[in-house]
Amino acid sequence: MFNELSPRKRAILKAVVDAYIESGDPVGSKTLTQGRQFGLSSATIRNEMAELESLGYLEQPHTSAGRVPSESGYRFYVDSLMKEYALNAGELAELNSMLKAKTAELDKLIQNAGRVMANLTNYTAIAVKQSEGRDTVTRFSVTPVDDRNFLLVMICSDRSAKTRFIHTENPVEEEGLKLLEQALNNFIAGRDLGTVTLPYLMQMERSLGRYGNLVSPVMKFIYDALGQTEERDVRIDGVEKLLEYPEFLDAGKLKDVLGMFDRKNELLGLLESADDDVNICIGRENGVEALEGSSLVFKKIIVNGRAVGAVGVLGPCRMDYSKVVSAIRYLSKGIEHAMNTEEKGGQLSSGDSDDRKGEKA
């Protein structure tokens, strides 16, 4: 559907999104003609906007009002129309002040990152720190007990052995247990569990064919045995900033979002299944009911090839995506630099921002 848009429609859609992000008011054809960026009549622009609405990129909240971007319109904007935002001197100074801090302790960097992102973007910031020094399993062994029970043995990196007796609801053939043992050793053995993402587990499930339903319960036992379930620190900064946007003034909507902050596993699930680049999740793309009508933009922090945390912001769908993406990429790159090298400053030049188009999670 994206290829249906002519250059003129693209320019008008970009102008509508930019204007709506800035003002929060529905955008009419008169607003675009006043900007003198189009050499078109108000009637022509109005017709183009009507076509964009029929294609699903714009919506009209009221018959007498202008139009606003739909979720599809925002998605097309961040993927194809958004211009790179150049951080100004003041913004760079605020970011570099944090990155030049003498501490290279990850928890301090993550804590400060959330505070800085909330101040810089005026959105609610989310910062996640993974625990450090976790055991890995070097070898798995699966031994059948009967057709509904088997013993899982895990030989850990510290040479200790952990065992779990696992019961299945349905009978499992010995062939399935052999395939499970093979998959665990191929996909999980020797791997930091912090790097095991949802797409990776889905790949593991596919490799097991009709026995793929064993992966989820077995991985839960593995996480529990290694003490992984409660070792992630989620920090929320700038919750009060939600009240600055009309989208969150509805008491029910605000209650849903605040409740999700308490149920941090929903946020962690989004972060774990994401790409390593900046992820932009718009409205229903989040897959979390409480975040419908909101956008979440975040990036994992990768140190020595391992995801050690993440930093991002939550705000309305009419978020200033360009500025947010630039700030998140710059800040996360600075933290990675500080943690990956012996140089503690982590200060970057403005050219290191290297913004690219937003990516869907």
Side-chain angles (χ1 to χ4, degrees), residues 131-332:
S131 62
E132 301 180 46
R134 296 175 287 188
D135 283 340
T136 58
V137 178
T138 58
R139 184 166 58 85
F140 290 92
S141 175
V142 176
T143 303
V145 176
D146 55 43
D147 64 349
R148 293 177 184 267
N149 299 280
F150 63 90
L151 186 68
L152 177 67
V153 180
M154 299 167 282
I155 307 300
C156 299
S157 54
D158 62 358
R159 298 186 179 181
S160 66
K162 299 180 185 292
T163 61
R164 284 294 184 273
F165 186 73
I166 299 178
H167 173 77
T168 62
E169 294 295 327
N170 300 310
V172 180
E173 300 171 2
E174 189 170 341
E175 173 196 12
L177 296 181
K178 288 181 179 179
L179 289 173
L180 174 63
E181 179 180 285
Q182 181 180 355
L184 287 170
N185 284 307
N186 288 342
F187 285 86
I188 306 299
R191 190 179 184 99
D192 188 323
L193 291 184
T195 67
V196 176
T197 63
L198 181 59
Y200 190 76
L201 290 178
M202 292 173 65
Q203 181 183 352
M204 181 178 169
E205 287 180 351
R206 289 192 294 269
S207 76
L208 283 170
R210 61 193 179 101
Y211 301 110
N213 62 331
L214 292 172
V215 171
S216 180
V218 168
M219 287 304 300
K220 181 181 185 304
F221 277 104
I222 293 171
Y223 278 108
D224 288 345
L226 298 182
Q228 299 297 312
T229 54
E230 299 296 334
E231 294 192 29
R232 290 166 294 185
D233 178 38
V234 180
R235 179 183 175 89
I236 310 294
D237 283 281
V239 174
E240 72 283 357
K241 295 183 183 297
L242 294 174
L243 298 176
E244 299 183 25
Y245 301 96
E247 292 87 341
F248 298 102
L249 293 182
D250 177 80
K253 171 66 177 176
L254 184 62
K255 180 180 178 181
D256 288 343
V257 174
L258 295 179
M260 186 208 58
F261 290 154
D262 292 330
R263 303 186 307 274
K264 294 175 181 178
N265 283 340
E266 290 182 273
L267 275 176
L268 292 170
L270 282 171
L271 300 177
E272 289 172 351
S273 61
D275 299 329
D276 288 346
D277 196 13
V278 176
N279 292 262
I280 300 177
C281 303
I282 302 169
R284 287 184 292 268
E285 293 175 0
N286 288 294
V288 177
E289 186 176 354
L291 293 185
E292 291 184 9
S294 307
S295 285
L296 176 64
V297 183
F298 64 94
K299 186 182 184 304
K300 290 181 180 178
I301 296 170
I302 309 296
V303 176
N304 295 323
R306 171 175 169 259
V308 298
V311 62
V313 300
L314 176 72
C317 286
R318 62 177 186 92
M319 180 183 290
D320 188 349
Y321 294 100
S322 182
K323 178 177 180 178
V324 167
V325 168
S326 291
I328 287 177
R329 182 170 285 127
Y330 187 92
L331 186 58
S332 60

Side-chain angles (χ1 to χ4, degrees), residues 72-117:
S72 295
Y74 284 120
R75 171 51 55 194
F76 187 74
Y77 175 83
V78 300
D79 286 344
S80 304
L81 304 176
M82 185 173 71
K83 295 293 182 67
E84 178 179 340
Y85 178 86
L87 296 166
N88 62 42
E91 292 161 348
L92 288 171
E94 185 171 359
L95 290 167
N96 284 330
S97 175
M98 190 216 85
L99 294 171
K100 285 191 298 184
K102 295 304 180 183
T103 177
E105 296 176 18
L106 183 62
D107 56 345
K108 296 286 183 62
L109 287 171
I110 293 289
Q111 178 178 338
N112 291 336
R115 175 182 52 79
V116 169
M117 284 303 302

Side-chain angles (χ1 to χ4, degrees), residues 8-43:
R8 186 161 73 182
K9 282 186 174 62
R10 288 171 178 249
I12 290 174
L13 177 59
K14 181 181 183 301
V16 171
V17 176
D18 285 338
Y20 188 59
I21 287 174
E22 182 177 355
S23 71
D25 297 322
V27 181
S29 57
K30 185 178 180 180
T31 301
L32 301 186
T33 55
Q34 287 175 340
R36 295 194 298 273
Q37 62 188 107
F38 301 104
L40 302 170
S41 68
S42 179

